Amino acid sequence: MEVKEIFNKALNSNFVIIEEDDLKSVLEKSEIIREEDTHLSDFIRVLKYEDKLFAQETTFKKEILIRKMDSMKDADLFVQDRLDYYERKWDGCGCKIDYYE
């Protein structure tokens, strides 16, 4: 899938699932604003493409998701929520993320 098509799909839906090969192209053609190692499910990133912000994460099923973020504040809150979740997961909380909401 073309990078532009991936980001356009993400703009018009809650998220888009991409292949690993597509992720390489996405990372090459966008600006990585923030990147955090979750230590459990790869990296979570905030990307900028054509002046729009997106979050990229990997689910426990190894699906790579890209979703639109409305602002840097929203992106930071999203990343922090995920990092907090992964931290609790280390502690054995038994909690789960709904990656598809």
Side-chain angles (χ1 to χ4, degrees):
M1 193 178 326
E2 294 280 329
V3 171
K4 188 172 188 79
E5 182 183 356
I6 290 168
F7 285 115
N8 282 339
K9 282 186 176 187
L11 286 172
N12 297 308
S13 60
N14 290 341
F15 62 88
V16 63
I17 299 173
I18 64 170
E19 300 296 322
E20 193 167 335
D21 287 345
D22 291 330
L23 177 60
K24 291 174 187 169
S25 297
V26 162
L27 295 178
E28 288 172 359
K29 296 189 178 178
S30 63
E31 179 183 354
I32 299 173
I33 304 292
R34 181 175 178 185
E35 180 176 64
E36 301 283 345
D37 190 343
T38 69
H39 301 286
L40 287 174
S41 191
D42 202 31
F43 289 88
I44 186 168
R45 299 175 179 96
V46 176
L47 307 174
K48 187 175 185 180
Y49 181 80
E50 293 185 349
D51 291 325
K52 294 175 182 71
L53 296 173
F54 300 86
Q56 178 270 310
E57 64 182 330
T58 303
T59 71
F60 287 130
K61 296 178 183 178
K62 304 293 183 210
E63 293 174 315
I64 300 167
L65 304 182
I66 294 181
R67 67 182 80 234
K68 177 184 67 107
M69 294 285 113
D70 293 325
S71 68
M72 193 60 209
K73 180 180 178 183
D74 288 344
D76 283 336
L77 287 171
F78 179 83
V79 170
Q80 193 57 53
D81 268 359
R82 289 298 201 250
L83 293 176
D84 290 346
Y85 161 79
Y86 289 119
E87 186 63 33
R88 289 190 311 275
K89 191 82 170 152
W90 274 113
D91 295 336
C93 74
C95 46
K96 297 187 189 241
I97 281 183
D98 182 356
Y99 289 101
Y100 311 104
E101 64 177 331

